[in-house]
Amino acid sequence: MRRLFGSVRARATLAATAVVAVALVAAGAVVLLSLRSNLAGQADTAADSAARDVAAQIAQGVPYRELDLDEDHPVQVVDRDGRVLAVSEDLEAVGGTGAPEVTPVPSPDAGRDDGDDPEIGEVGEVTWHGQGRATVDGASVAYRFAQVEVTDRSDRKVRVYAGASLQAQQDAVHTAATVMLVGLPVLLAVVAWVTWTVTRRALRPVEAIRREMAAITASEDLARRVPVPDTHDEVARLARTTNETLAALETSVERRRRFVADASHELRSPIASLRTQLEVAAAHPGLLDLDGAVEDTVRLQHLAADLLLLARLDAGERDAGARVELAALARERAAGRAGVTVRVDAVEVAGSRGQLQRVLDNLLDNAERHARSAIVVTVRRDGDRHAVVEVGDDGDGVPAGDRERIFERFVRLDEARARDDGGAGLGLAIARDVAARHGGTLTVRDAPTGGALFELRLPIA
């Protein structure tokens, strides 16, 4: 049960059904109240007409005992003292008019007895509406009553009460309520079924994505992709984003595997060389190549340091956020290197001095391996937002097709020379990663001297 109602389909169905139910109940209540009000207004109009008709007869001098009273409307004529002067035929009981009596008392006629030309009485306005009950010919029914005051030809003021039955109103409201009570569950069932069906169809691509993701997780095959529905909705965008994530994850995993394989290969060479030298020295102490052992150890140390730095960068290590003067750093790292010319302007950036120092060292080492005779280091400002460090040489340069490839890990365009010089193909990869961590870029293009010009662009502190 918890699993069923924990699904999106179930929650959507329940929510839609609840919203429709609330809307239908509110609409039904409004309809019933409006119907009841309209029918009550019609009853008031009918009661007004009946009361005015009787009042007009009284004003014209028709005797109370001879009043023409509508059989469809219970009528009472009451004087100021509360005496009932006339009632409609078959009226057996009445409530709500203030005069419960239904038996008329003997009363003089509404006309005068002096023989003069009688005056016509005055009919007043409807002064009251109310609801009560009346029993007519044995049937007790709810009525809406209207009260009209009239002055008869004897200058006596009396009140006329006339009622209009509410039976039609009650029957109509009851019928409408019955229809709503019967139709509401049916309509809610239809809404629930439609919502359940539509939601199932809408979520079918999501279920396909989930199954494929489960299969990918079980098989560990990151080359697989989830199906993308032929729509332009959120589900299709989710599928495309999932595939992009899988592609990025596949690339990352493949890159990590290649990195581990290449690192193992690079570590094996100096370790094997060092072991061979030590084994030879153990067997023949006089043949120990101490300089070669030290060189292999230093190479191994540098490689381990590079791998450790790459691991920290991959783990998301942030820069220190300190202010670094690039001009002073460039002079410091270029000092003691042959053929290096430094042209610098004072400019500060925010970051890790150690990591930026590593970038300059790697760029200078790379330039020294490929330069013929001259290396130029330039530090300048580019507007108010960027600092630029350029390291150029007069070597053979970098072919246009390899200018992005050289920043990949363990990539060496001149394999033999790089290996002889102790390079493992990690220096430029480390430099670009550090630049990216500092919010900058590292690119390469042709230098004015014909070699390679590496440009490090960083935001100014």
Side-chain angles (χ1 to χ4, degrees), residues 240-436:
R240 287 192 289 269
T241 302
T242 301
N243 284 337
E244 292 171 0
T245 303
L246 288 173
L249 184 60
E250 180 186 15
T251 301
S252 177
V253 171
E254 182 61 30
R255 182 181 179 185
R256 189 174 298 276
R257 288 174 180 171
R258 189 167 59 249
F259 175 77
V260 172
D262 290 342
S264 301
H265 176 75
E266 294 295 334
L267 288 171
R268 186 169 55 224
S269 296
I271 290 175
S273 176
L274 184 60
R275 177 181 177 180
T276 299
Q277 295 180 59
L278 292 177
E279 288 177 347
V280 170
H284 307 283
L287 299 179
L288 174 62
D289 183 5
L290 186 58
D291 292 338
V294 172
E295 182 180 346
D296 286 339
T297 302
V298 172
R299 180 182 173 191
L300 185 61
Q301 181 182 10
H302 288 168
L303 182 57
D306 288 345
L307 293 175
L308 181 60
L309 177 56
L310 283 173
R312 293 203 306 266
L313 292 176
D314 288 342
E317 181 181 88
R318 299 291 181 181
D319 58 79
R323 288 181 175 268
V324 180
E325 173 56 60
L326 287 181
L329 184 62
R331 291 194 188 96
E332 174 188 324
R333 306 322 299 173
R337 295 178 183 260
V340 179
T341 301
V342 180
R343 303 168 184 168
V344 296
D345 295 330
V347 59
E348 284 187 343
V349 297
S352 168
R353 178 181 177 83
Q355 292 184 9
L356 294 176
Q357 174 182 313
R358 175 66 69 87
V359 173
L360 285 174
D361 286 344
N362 289 353
L363 294 179
L364 287 169
D365 290 344
N366 179 76
E368 284 184 334
R369 283 197 296 270
H370 297 90
R372 291 187 177 92
S373 60
I375 299 173
V376 178
V377 178
T378 304
V379 178
R380 58 183 174 83
R381 300 173 67 96
D382 185 6
D384 297 329
R385 301 182 62 183
H386 291 96
V388 177
V389 180
E390 295 177 338
V391 179
D393 61 66
D394 60 352
D396 295 331
V398 181
D402 294 324
R403 289 179 182 175
E404 282 301 314
R405 183 168 169 264
I406 61 174
F407 293 106
E408 297 179 7
R409 299 176 183 183
F410 298 105
V411 170
R412 292 163 296 197
L413 300 184
D414 190 342
E415 193 74 21
R417 185 172 63 180
R419 188 177 298 279
D420 291 342
D421 291 343
L426 292 177
L428 295 180
I430 291 174
R432 172 165 278 191
D433 282 355
V434 171

Side-chain angles (χ1 to χ4, degrees), residues 29 40 73 101 142 183 198 287 336 438:
H73 300 282
E101 299 295 332
V198 171
L287 299 179
H438 284 72

Side-chain angles (χ1 to χ4, degrees), residues 88-144:
S88 57
E89 188 178 358
D90 297 329
L91 179 61
E92 300 175 2
V94 66
T97 62
E101 299 295 332
V102 292
T103 302
V105 299
S107 62
D109 292 338
R112 292 184 177 178
D113 297 331
D114 56 8
D116 298 335
D117 187 18
E119 297 180 358
I120 298 177
E122 182 181 355
V123 179
E125 298 295 331
V126 177
T127 59
W128 173 81
H129 285 110
Q131 187 165 326
R133 297 189 67 85
T135 303
V136 180
D137 197 17
S140 179
V141 179
Y143 284 86
R144 287 287 295 179

